[in-house]
C-alpha cells in the first residue's frame, strides 16, 4: 500500500482546519471548526488552549474519514498562528492560564519601558524583531508574573511553554515531544536568529526561564507521531512552520526576491531574502523563512494588524449587512475620486509604523460622502498599507526585490477579483492571485511531504504550488500617487 498523502493541520486565529493533500498539492478532503476568542479587558485577546486541541483532533479525524483514504496518509504537517502562547503543567498537561493571542496588547507598557531603557537596538540585532507586545516573550513573562506560584514552578522545571504548534505537538504525541520549529521560535523575542538557538541574553532581559522552552527543530524534521487514539494508527509529524512561513512555501516562494501576502484577519507580507539576513532600516522584521537540513533562509516581513478585520468591521460596526460580498458591492458603487481615507488602526499600527497606541480614523468626509465611500476607503486601506510594506521592502532589500517583482497573494480577501485588481492598482506592481487560497495549509503539507520523502527537496515540493492569474496596474500613475499621498497625510493624524 502506497502512503502518498499528507494531512495538514492549520491551527489559525479564528478557526482550526485540516486538509488532506495528494502529492500534486491537490486537496482531497477538508474539515474545520470555528474558534472562540475572549476579550477580558480592552486590548486583551485570549483563547482556550484545550478547545484548540479538541478542535485539532476533531478536524484531523473528520478530514481523514471524509477522504476514505486514511491508510494512505504518509505524514502530518502543522502550521499555526505564530505568536500566540500557552503555558501548561508538565505532569497534568493542563494550561495554567488561557492562551494569550498574538493580537493581545497587554504587555505594551513593558515593551515601552524596555524601549525607553534603550534595549530595542540590541533586541533587533539578536532577534530581528522590535519591542512590541505582538511577540511571545513578554506574554510568557506576564503569565508567569500574574499566575500565583507560576514563576517558581517554571524555574523548578514543572511548567512548559510554547506557541500553538508546540502545544498541539506535545498533546498529539502524548507528551513525548516538546518542540517547535525555527520559524515559530524566531517570533518569540527569545531566539538568536544568527546562532539559531535560544538566546541567554534575551531570556535574561525578558525574565523567561529557559527550562520552559521547547527544543528548536527544522521545518522538515521528526516531531514524533500523533498517537493511535487520534487517527487509528500512529502517524508521523514531519513538517512544522508558522502560518506566514508556511504560506510563503505554499506560494512557491523558495528563491530570493519572491514575495507573498496573506490577507486574513490581518495581512502578512514576506519577501524571501535567501541566506542574506537583511537588516531593515524601515522597521520591518527580519525573520526565519525556513530551516531545512540545517540550512537557514531568511525573509523580511511586514505585519498589518487589520486587513480582513476591517471588512468585518463594516458589518459589525457600521451595520452593512450581507457579509464581505455586500460590502464589496457597496464599495464598488462609491463615487470616483471621493477622497475618503480610512485608517483601520483598531489595535494599533503594525509595520512600518509600530504604534501600539494608534487608533482608527476616517478622513476626507464631505456632505456627499456616505457608506459606499467609507466602504471603498476601507478596502483601499488594505492596499495602501500593503504599499507601505512594499516601499519599505524596496528600500531594505533592493537586490532581492528586483525590477520584476510581483506580489503573490492568498487568504480570504484575495478571493475577490475586484480587491485583487485594486491591490495592483494602488501598489503599482503585478499581483499574482492563487487559484487555491489555502496556501498556509498547503505549505505545511509540502514541508511534511519533504520530511516523508515524497519530495526530494523544498524546490521540488514548491512545484506543487497552485496555478495563478496575474493582474497588472490599470490606473494612471498620478491617480495612484494621489491616493497614497492622502494615506500618508492621514496616518500621522491617528497616532496618539
Amino acid at each position: 500500500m502506497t502512503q502518498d498523502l499528507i494531512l495538514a493541520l492549520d491551527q489559525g486565529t479564528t478557526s482550526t482546519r485540516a486538509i488532506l493533500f495528494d502529492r500534486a498539492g491537490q486537496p482531497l478532503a477538508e474539515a474545520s471548526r470555528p474558534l472562540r476568542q475572549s476579550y477580558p479587558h480592552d486590548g486583551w485577546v485570549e483563547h482556550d488552549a484545550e478547545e484548540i486541541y479538541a478542535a485539532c483532533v476533531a478536524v484531523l479525524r473528520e478530514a481523514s474519514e471524509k477522504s476514505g483514504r486514511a491508510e494512505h496518509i504518509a505524514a502530518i504537517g502543522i502550521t499555526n498562528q505564530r505568536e500566540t502562547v500557552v503555558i501548561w503543567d508538565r505532569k497534568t498537561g493542563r494550561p495554567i492560564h488561557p492562551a494569550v493571542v498574538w493580537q493581545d496588547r497587554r504587555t505594551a507598557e513593558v515593551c515601552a519601558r524596555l524601549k525607553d531603557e534603550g534595549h530595542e537596538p540590541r533586541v533587533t540585532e539578536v532577534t530581528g524583531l522590535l519591542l512590541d507586545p505582538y511577540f511571545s516573550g513578554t506574554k510568557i513573562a506576564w503569565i508567569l508574573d500574574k499566575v500565583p506560584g507560576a514563576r517558581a514552578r517554571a524555574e523548578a522545571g514543572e511548567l512548559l511553554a510554547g506557541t500553538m504548534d508546540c502545544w498541539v505537538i506535545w498533546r498529539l504525541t502524548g507528551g513525548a515531544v516538546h518542540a517547535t520549529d525555527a520559524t515559530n521560535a524566531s517570533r518569540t523575542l527569545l531566539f538568536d536568529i544568527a546562532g539559531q538557538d535560544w538566546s541567554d541574553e534575551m531570556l535574561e532581559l525578558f525574565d523567561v526561564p529557559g527550562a520552559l522552552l521547547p527544543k528548536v527543530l527544522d521545518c522538515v524534521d521528526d516531531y514524533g507521531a500523533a498517537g493511535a487514539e487520534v487517527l487509528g494508527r500512529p502517524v508521523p509529524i514531519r513538517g512544522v512552520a508558522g502560518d506566514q512561513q508556511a504560506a510563503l512555501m505554499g506560494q512557491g516562494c523558495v528563491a530570493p526576491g519572491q514575495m507573498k501576502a496573506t490577507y486574513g484577519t490581518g495581512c502578512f507580507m514576506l519577501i524571501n531574502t535567501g541566506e542574506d539576513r537583511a537588516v531593515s532600516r524601515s522597521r520591518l522584521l527580519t525573520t526565519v523563512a525556513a530551516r531545512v537540513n540545517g540550512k537557514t533562509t531568511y525573509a523580511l516581513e511586514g505585519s498589518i494588524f487589520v486587513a480582513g478585520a476591517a471588512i468585518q468591521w463594516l458589518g459589525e460596526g457600521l451595520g452593512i449587512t450581507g457579509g464581505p460580498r455586500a460590502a464589496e458591492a457597496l464599495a464598488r458603487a462609491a463615487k470616483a475620486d471621493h477622497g475618503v481615507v480610512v485608517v483601520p488602526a483598531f489595535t494599533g499600527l503594525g509595520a512600518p509604523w509600530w504604534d501600539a497606541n494608534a487608533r482608527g480614523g476616517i478622513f476626507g468626509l464631505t456632505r456627499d460622502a456616505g457608506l459606499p465611500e467609507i466602504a471603498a476607503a476601507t478596502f483601499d486601506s488594505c492596499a495602501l498599507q500593503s504599499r507601505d510594506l512594499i516601499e519599505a521592502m524596496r528600500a531594505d532589500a533592493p537586490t532581492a526585490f528586483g525590477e520584476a517583482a510581483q506580489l503573490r497573494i492568498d487568504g480570504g480577501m484575495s478571493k475577490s477579483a475586484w480587491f485583487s485588481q485594486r491591490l495592483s492598482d494602488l501598489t503599482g506592481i503585478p499581483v499574482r492571485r492563487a487559484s487555491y487560497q489555502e496556501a498556509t495549509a498547503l505549505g505545511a503539507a509540502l514541508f511534511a511531504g519533504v520530511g516523508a520523502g515524497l519530495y526530494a527537496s523544498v524546490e521540488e515540493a514548491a512545484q506543487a504550488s497552485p496555478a495563478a492569474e496575474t493582474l497588472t496596474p490599470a490606473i494612471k500613475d498620478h491617480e495612484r500617487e494621489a491616493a497614497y499621498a492622502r494615506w500618508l497625510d492621514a496616518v500621522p493624524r491617528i497616532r496618539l
Side-chain angles (χ1 to χ4, degrees), residues 66-381:
K66 274 184 178 179
S67 73
R69 300 175 63 186
E71 68 277 11
H72 294 279
I73 298 173
I76 294 171
I78 295 176
T79 185
N80 59 289
Q81 47 172 325
R82 296 173 298 179
E83 296 82 6
T84 299
V85 72
V86 64
I87 300 177
W88 66 94
D89 185 294
R90 181 191 291 269
K91 289 185 179 178
T92 67
R94 294 194 188 97
I96 66 168
H97 187 275
V100 181
V101 179
W102 60 271
Q103 299 158 309
D104 190 281
R105 314 301 290 173
R106 74 186 66 187
T107 62
E109 289 185 8
V110 173
C111 293
R113 174 179 58 80
L114 292 170
K115 191 179 298 186
D116 289 342
E117 292 172 358
H119 292 291
E120 186 169 70
R122 180 58 180 162
V123 169
T124 301
E125 182 181 358
V126 174
T127 70
L129 309 178
L130 301 170
L131 280 170
D132 191 88
Y134 172 36
F135 305 109
S136 310
T138 57
K139 294 178 172 70
I140 294 172
W142 186 95
I143 296 172
L144 293 179
D145 289 336
K146 297 302 180 182
V147 175
R151 185 165 289 282
R153 294 181 64 202
E155 292 170 351
E158 297 176 11
L159 303 178
L160 299 175
T163 43
M164 287 298 101
D165 60 310
C166 182
W167 161 248
V168 171
I169 290 165
W170 193 84
R171 290 295 301 268
L172 287 174
T173 62
V177 178
H178 183 222
T180 189
D181 86 295
T183 67
N184 278 293
S186 75
R187 311 297 295 186
T188 61
L189 286 171
L190 306 174
F191 189 69
D192 183 335
I193 59 170
Q196 289 293 296
D197 204 351
W198 301 117
S199 165
D200 290 339
E201 181 183 358
M202 294 298 109
L203 293 175
E204 181 178 355
L205 177 64
F206 292 102
D207 202 13
V208 173
L212 275 172
L213 300 178
K215 183 177 182 181
V216 181
L217 302 178
D218 286 3
C219 299
V220 174
D221 219 319
D222 183 354
Y223 288 85
E229 69 278 6
V230 179
L231 292 173
R233 64 178 175 87
V235 179
I237 303 168
R238 291 294 180 265
V240 177
D243 52 8
Q244 303 312 317
Q245 285 89 341
L248 195 70
M249 177 67 186
Q251 284 276 27
C253 297
V254 296
Q258 294 178 322
M259 176 171 56
K260 75 90 196 174
T262 299
Y263 292 88
T265 303
C267 169
F268 300 88
M269 188 182 297
L270 283 79
I271 184 168
N272 188 321
T273 60
E275 295 181 65
D276 177 18
R277 186 163 45 89
V279 177
S280 175
R281 297 172 300 280
S282 308
R283 296 179 67 75
L284 298 177
L285 307 175
T286 305
T287 195
V288 173
R291 197 172 84 187
V292 179
N293 295 326
K295 174 185 172 183
T296 304
T297 53
Y298 296 93
L300 283 174
E301 175 174 338
S303 306
I304 297 169
F305 293 154
V306 175
I311 311 308
Q312 187 177 23
W313 166 76
L314 289 173
E316 296 176 354
L318 297 187
I320 298 173
T321 60
R325 288 186 179 179
E328 179 185 317
L330 190 64
R332 295 176 73 169
K335 299 178 183 67
D337 300 322
H338 52 76
V340 177
V341 178
V342 171
V343 185
F346 304 141
T347 56
L349 285 171
W353 311 101
W354 290 108
D355 188 341
N357 296 315
R359 290 296 178 263
I362 304 175
F363 303 92
L365 290 174
T366 58
R367 189 64 186 270
D368 63 346
L371 283 179
E373 288 70 34
I374 292 173
T378 301
F379 277 95
D380 281 357
S381 74

Side-chain angles (χ1 to χ4, degrees), residues 42-66:
D42 181 38
W44 292 28
V45 190
E46 295 179 348
H47 282 158
D48 180 339
E50 291 285 7
E51 178 191 353
I52 285 175
Y53 179 66
C56 289
V57 172
V59 297
L60 286 170
R61 287 174 177 166
E62 184 178 339
S64 174
E65 291 167 1
K66 274 184 178 179

Side-chain angles (χ1 to χ4, degrees), residues 431-475:
V431 166
R432 189 173 183 266
R433 177 174 171 246
S435 59
Y436 179 65
Q437 305 301 320
E438 301 300 335
T440 302
L442 176 58
L446 296 179
F447 278 129
V450 176
L454 301 184
Y455 312 105
S457 65
V458 291
E459 289 77 15
E460 180 183 333
Q463 299 305 308
S465 60
E469 65 168 327
T470 300
L471 306 167
T472 56
I475 64 173

